[in-house]
Amino acid sequence: MDLPQLINDYGYAAVGIGAFLEGETVLILAAVSAHLGYLKLPMVVAVAAIGAFAGDSAYFFAGRRYGPRLMQRFPALARAVPRVDRFVGRWHALAVILLRFTYGLRIAGPIVLGAGRMKTAVFLAANAAGAMLWAILLGAIGYGFGHAATRLLGDVARLEHIAIGVVIVVIVAVTVAHFVTKRRLERRDTTPGR
């Protein structure tokens, strides 16, 4: 089975599952695929928004039900509490939307919010708005990247594997660089004597 067929067969499912988890990379790649004609951009954005809403809602309700146990079991989650609390204290319901765009708090944030005092209705409304905004913005970025690749490479239909490979490499490189930088900062912050 070739790459275009795989995208046609499993693209929307991958977007939904990816968005349920974190999904930035999958959404951007799906939007590039939409530019190449393998998927439909409105459907990519809709599936991503639904998956993101469902994922963050699930994390929120997990926090609501199992918050204290999750904090004890996952110390990294407990360490995120002060950051999320500062966010919520400053931005209130807007914090739910902003957390979606904050690397490293996408899953921890809703869990901590669920364990806290945020009202369920406030969370769900802000989560729906955030999921739609996130899907539209990242979908547009991916679609724009596909457009730029087409202009740079000419007939992308013949070079689709290269174009998608370049997108994957760039996204993975940026993600790894961000992860490494974050780890270095965390180690620096936890070093005794600082």
Side-chain angles (χ1 to χ4, degrees):
M1 188 176 285
D2 62 352
L3 184 60
Q5 190 61 47
L6 281 171
I7 293 170
N8 282 326
D9 291 347
Y10 302 108
Y12 297 119
V15 170
I17 292 167
F20 187 91
L21 300 171
E22 290 221 14
E24 286 82 2
T25 303
V26 174
L27 175 52
I28 290 171
L29 290 174
V32 169
S33 296
H35 185 272
L36 296 175
Y38 300 120
L39 301 172
K40 302 290 183 206
L41 186 62
M43 186 69 167
V44 166
V45 169
V47 169
I50 291 166
F53 175 81
D56 282 11
S57 295
Y59 306 136
F60 177 83
F61 287 114
R64 186 67 92 210
R65 179 152 173 85
Y66 304 108
R69 279 188 265 168
L70 288 170
M71 301 301 163
Q72 287 177 345
R73 181 167 172 129
F74 300 102
L77 189 61
R79 286 193 300 270
V81 170
R83 284 179 67 194
V84 174
D85 283 345
R86 282 192 305 272
F87 234 51
V88 172
R90 183 169 184 196
W91 300 101
H92 307 289
L94 186 58
V96 177
I97 297 170
L98 296 174
L99 281 171
R100 180 172 301 285
F101 295 94
T102 306
Y103 189 80
L105 292 179
R106 170 79 194 281
I107 293 174
I111 292 172
V112 172
L113 290 172
R117 290 174 284 194
M118 179 168 272
K119 293 183 179 182
T120 301
V122 171
F123 175 82
L124 291 175
N127 185 30
M132 287 186 280
L133 181 62
W134 175 82
I136 290 167
L137 285 175
L138 290 179
I141 288 169
Y143 197 83
F145 192 85
H147 180 71
T150 301
R151 290 191 63 116
L152 281 172
L153 300 174
D155 184 10
V156 177
R158 289 181 297 151
L159 302 170
E160 63 200 16
H161 293 88
I162 294 170
I164 291 174
V166 168
V167 171
I168 291 170
V169 168
V170 168
I171 291 171
V172 168
V174 169
T175 302
V176 167
H178 183 76
F179 179 76
V180 168
T181 302
K182 181 181 172 202
R183 288 289 178 212
R184 284 184 184 158
L185 290 173
E186 286 175 354
R187 272 191 238 125
R188 188 189 76 198
D189 290 344
T190 59
T191 302
R194 285 197 174 256

